[in-house]
Amino acid sequence: MTMHDTGAETPDAPGYPAEFAERYRAAGYWRGETFGQMLRERAQAHPDRVAIVDPAGEGRRWTYGELDLRADRLAAGLLARGIGKGDRVVVQLPNVAEFFEVVFALFRIGALPVFALPAHRETEIRHFCAFTEAAAYVIPDVSEGYDYRELATKIRAEVPTLKHVLVAGEPGEHTALAEATAEPVAVPDAPAPHELAFLQLSGGSTGVPKLIPRTHDDYIYSLWGSNEICGVDEDSVYLCALPAAHNFPLSSPGTLGALYAGARVVLAPRPSPDVAFPLIEAEGVTITGLVPPLALVWTEAAAQTPHDLSSLQVLLVGGAKFSEEAARRVRPALGCTLQQVFGMAEGLVNYTRLDDPEETIVTTQGRPISPDDEIRIVDDEDDDLPAGETGHLLTRGPYTIRGYWRAPGHNATAFTADGFYRTGDVVRLTETGHIVVEGRAKDQINRGGEKVAAEEIENHILAHPAVHDVAVVSMPDAYLGERTCAYVVLREGAAPVKSLAVKKFVRERGLAAFKVPDRVEFVTEFPQTGIGKVSKKDLRAAIAAQVAAAAAAQH
Ligand code: OOB
């Protein structure tokens, strides 16, 4: 048996066991394609079709032929700079056309994009660059008022492996992407389909975000599988309204699914109706994806908009639980079919089907892409529960990872011995095999689709000299679903600290703004569980009661 019979086993991450890889290939899920080849084939088949519309700046429209050539030129330039197969490159770009030029150039040479979000700041970026020993970091110049070049200067001084900073725009002291290109060359050691394509970020529940190794084979399956379920074909127009690097707009079916289909991708610089609605009208957008809070904003704004939204056929909503009440409003307000999506960057993605009865569409989070997605619903002891009961969701399948990147210790608990991923989600199955998400067992706050690992924020707050102990929990919120609340116990004798000072302290540690606690409550001790651990359940109940009482007092 050669390496090629296996999944993506590397010293850095467990791959798919050979018997599974064989099965996934035999079933036709893994097509033996890479992203580099995929783009080349589309460009050869229809060079003049528009691939990417970037309305920012001069309003660029790149054809498949142009995207393909740009990727080739940048790939050659990166190789000339010594960046090659297996090297990690942290990519932190907003929704701009260069995002695709960069990731396809990296895919082609087998370098691995590490998908940072535009909201990430010093602490996260330093970790991604240092932990992955990144060779390069790709940024915009200034976006949403933030100068990424200054951040890059700082990180570059601290991370010895980081030799290159490439800037989409004005480079300052760094290198412009446009200057980093070269005449296309034959790539010496192009990646094979079973090899890693990129590292995606985990929403996480631990101190630092974990990295998710995805292969060309497995991810491309999730793309064409999603395209079939969501009705994406070459006539589709996908609006990317969420941050492009996130797994949902990237692959469900997302921009990469759309490109796989030979469709058109339209990039929205922001997801608000004033930006997105004109784009829907102008470009004839047929499908897009939103997190629940934005879906609510859109359904409300649609009633007054002068823009013609009639081209929109499908609205995907996921990333966090979409309430039944809100789900019912989508079709009447937007005139399109709602498709709920319950997915995770680690793999498994569930969709309601376009022809599901309306009741199923509004009350469930869908069912898996693949007949070979294995679903187990278990109790705390990992024993399977009787049909219909609520429990922990474990999953294994043709596009779900078998382990995080360089995290053997964490993998031992995040996966079962036989390779099931512990999602941390608490779900039940309906008689039709649809999943209903009932809750969460992982120590995470889902802030309208943005994931906050409690432990990560706790570690930052603990660094405050006046803080003795801290517990971060979710609190209910009418708009975001959940927000974060930090319960703080101050050190004995410490001078009083204001809640604003705690928030400021966290912000100044250089974290994404969505991780700054929304509320800080000071207590003298924590409620305990029977075995003497902090009872987060009681803390959640306490803050929920406070929020409810405040809401009642307002009415
Ligand atoms: C998506 O991916 P991640 O990795 O940011 O977060 C995954 C987690 C899930 O484990 C679950 O806790 C939550 O986000 N989630 C949902 C949900 N969709 C995701 N919880 C309730 N209802 C839903 N519909 O969030 C993601 C990846 C691909 C497609 C869509 C979402």
Side-chain angles (χ1 to χ4, degrees), residues 246-248 252 318-321 341-345 365 425 437 442 446 451:
H246 189 274
N247 198 62
F248 174 16
S252 299
K321 177 89 181 242
V341 48
F342 162 45
M344 52 208 73
Q365 280 64 60
D425 293 310
V437 181
K442 54 190 164 190
N446 191 333
K451 313 304 186 311

Side-chain angles (χ1 to χ4, degrees), residues 92 120-123 125-126 137 139 146-156 174:
Q92 188 183 27
H120 287 133
R121 292 295 178 262
E122 192 183 330
T123 300
I125 299 297
R126 182 190 299 113
Y137 173 35
I139 53 169
Y146 183 76
D147 194 330
Y148 289 81
R149 296 166 299 192
E150 289 171 17
L151 173 61
T153 301
K154 205 163 185 177
I155 302 294
R156 196 175 164 186
H174 308 293

